[in-house]
Amino acid sequence: SDLREQEERGELLQPLIFVSLVLCSVLLYLKVSLMDPGFVKPEEEAKEAEGQGLVISQVPGDIKLRRCGYCLVKQPLRARHCQLCQHCVRRYDHHCPWLENCVGERNHPLFIGYLSVQLVVLLWGGHVAWSGLYFQQSWEWLQHNIFLLLSFLLIVIFTIVVLLLLVSHLYLISCNTTTWEFMSHHRISYLRHSELENPFDQGIILNLWRFFC
């Protein structure tokens, strides 16, 4: 009867939404961590050779496909070999230790979705933890609220980390560059010899459209 009364008052809706968001976050985490991030396969080399001329005109024409010294496949532009995954990854961004998987061409949009849902969950959890704190200057209060206080501080730390990670990735996506390209610009041949600082940048709107759509 109590549950029915709470349902009629709409008090069960918020917990159900929160649990749904947590479940969605877990499913996105599993999807991103277990899926193929865009591994370059040997049988795709012929297609790569045909498609490289269609990439971007500002990339110097004398940049040739480089054969990977580890897995011996021809690397397309923007690909990089990950020694932890033992594969070359298309549009390589980074190897995420949280996921134990690379973030690349195929799972990068889902990775952004995961970070967004995770941020909402953390902000909501932080709000709930904060609403349960009633500060008093006494040792007894601290003994009764120490775990809630530590939980709130932990949520704040994770929220800051996820927020900074999400903002930095959205910025790089709006510029059509990757974490690897941004950090190692001087080491990458197709960027170092290009006439433009970022030959893949086609404007914020088109960059976002091509990434997400």
Side-chain angles (χ1 to χ4, degrees):
S1 59
D2 292 339
L3 285 176
R4 181 169 296 177
E5 291 177 3
Q6 289 178 342
E7 183 180 3
E8 290 174 354
R9 293 196 300 266
E11 295 178 1
L12 295 180
L13 183 60
Q14 288 190 359
L16 286 175
I17 294 175
F18 182 77
V19 171
S20 299
L21 285 172
V22 172
L23 181 61
C24 179
S25 173
V26 172
L27 292 176
L28 281 171
Y29 173 85
L30 293 174
K31 177 68 174 176
V32 176
S33 62
L34 296 176
M35 73 179 296
D36 176 356
F39 295 137
V40 180
K41 299 177 177 58
E43 60 269 19
E44 297 174 344
E45 290 185 10
K47 294 181 181 178
E48 293 297 337
E50 295 176 0
Q52 288 303 312
L54 302 176
V55 184
I56 295 291
S57 59
Q58 283 83 0
V59 177
D62 57 348
I63 300 296
K64 301 184 182 301
L65 292 181
R66 188 174 71 89
R67 189 169 290 279
C68 177
Y70 296 97
C71 53
L72 302 179
V73 299
K74 285 187 177 180
Q75 289 182 334
L77 285 177
R78 315 190 79 180
R80 184 175 186 263
H81 184 85
C82 176
Q83 296 192 24
L84 295 174
C85 292
Q86 294 297 311
H87 284 285
C88 286
V89 181
R90 298 174 183 276
R91 202 180 181 279
Y92 176 86
D93 189 87
H94 70 286
H95 183 92
C96 182
W98 290 2
L99 302 171
E100 282 297 324
N101 193 16
C102 282
V103 175
E105 184 179 74
R106 294 188 62 192
N107 65 350
H108 201 169
L110 285 176
F111 178 70
I112 299 300
Y114 163 70
L115 289 179
S116 302
V117 174
Q118 191 66 55
L119 181 61
V120 173
V121 170
L122 286 168
L123 289 173
W124 196 332
H127 172 72
V128 171
W130 178 260
S131 65
L133 289 172
Y134 298 96
F135 293 97
Q136 296 179 6
Q137 294 182 351
S138 67
W139 177 249
E140 184 180 355
W141 176 88
L142 185 61
Q143 284 182 316
H144 284 89
N145 292 273
I146 184 66
F147 290 110
L148 185 59
L149 188 60
L150 289 175
S151 298
F152 175 75
L153 293 176
L154 194 63
I155 289 173
V156 169
I157 293 172
F158 279 118
T159 300
I160 293 173
V161 171
V162 172
L163 178 62
L164 291 176
L165 195 59
L166 179 60
V167 170
S168 64
H169 272 273
L170 288 175
Y171 168 74
L172 294 176
I173 291 167
S174 68
C175 300
N176 197 1
T177 190
T178 64
T179 303
W180 173 58
E181 291 172 341
F182 181 78
M183 300 295 292
S184 306
H185 188 280
H186 61 286
R187 295 167 47 199
I188 303 172
S189 57
Y190 60 81
L191 295 179
R192 189 173 67 248
H193 301 301
S194 174
E195 298 175 1
L196 302 177
E197 184 177 354
N198 179 13
F200 303 104
D201 187 6
Q202 296 180 298
I204 294 177
I205 296 177
L206 191 56
N207 291 338
L208 293 174
W209 173 264
R210 293 197 169 186
F211 181 85
F212 288 107
C213 305

